[in-house]
Amino acid sequence: MEGEPAVAVTSAGTWFGYNDDQGCLLNPLATYHLTGVQLIPAGGGSPKYVTFTPPTGGYLSGDPALAPDPQEPGSVLLATLEDTAQGPGLAVYSVSPSLRVTKLPTPSIGKSPSDDKEFIASDQGQHSPWSGRT
């Protein structure tokens, strides 16, 4: 299994994000180059899984990062690499507690990223001048 999972905690529960280049045996939806997010609900119950459909002619890769979504309580933001026919780039998704996935506008990171260590953070500080920003 691929290592380096990301973890974020929100009011909905504990979220895990990962890219699995081997096929995770613990996820019943696992496939090669799976980029997925798992939610362990705060109130208990079975884990919930979201897998991301690769873009046409490409796949998602890298070591994804998670952060609480400051615009949607309980939701997370997932940053990952997206390899398409046009070349690699950064992709950011919002995932809600109901497992709704929304691709967000993403800044350009240049023509060829040389690192698969994505990073994303959101400011949750009530007194911070940047509170609510990612």
Side-chain angles (χ1 to χ4, degrees):
M1 288 184 238
E2 181 83 6
E4 303 176 60
V7 179
V9 178
T10 70
S11 59
T14 302
W15 296 84
F16 300 91
Y18 49 87
N19 174 268
D20 187 354
D21 290 335
Q22 308 301 318
C24 177
L25 301 176
L26 302 176
N27 182 342
L29 306 176
T31 59
Y32 183 70
H33 277 305
L34 164 81
T35 291
V37 171
Q38 180 181 126
L39 170 63
I40 307 297
S46 298
K48 299 178 181 181
Y49 299 95
V50 176
T51 55
F52 293 79
T53 304
T56 303
Y59 59 91
L60 299 176
S61 65
D63 296 318
L66 290 177
D69 186 342
Q71 305 304 312
E72 285 195 53
S75 298
V76 291
L77 298 170
L78 169 78
T80 189
L81 293 181
E82 182 175 76
D83 292 309
T84 68
Q86 291 76 36
L90 181 66
V92 178
Y93 298 87
S94 177
V95 185
S96 74
S98 65
L99 306 183
R100 185 185 78 245
V101 175
T102 304
K103 187 170 182 183
L104 302 176
T106 307
S108 173
I109 59 171
K111 192 167 188 167
S112 179
S114 62
D115 193 353
D116 68 347
K117 307 296 184 239
E118 303 83 67
F119 182 81
I120 192 166
S122 57
D123 189 337
Q124 303 292 306
Q126 293 179 359
H127 303 293
S128 170
W130 298 278
S131 184
R133 293 186 184 176
T134 301

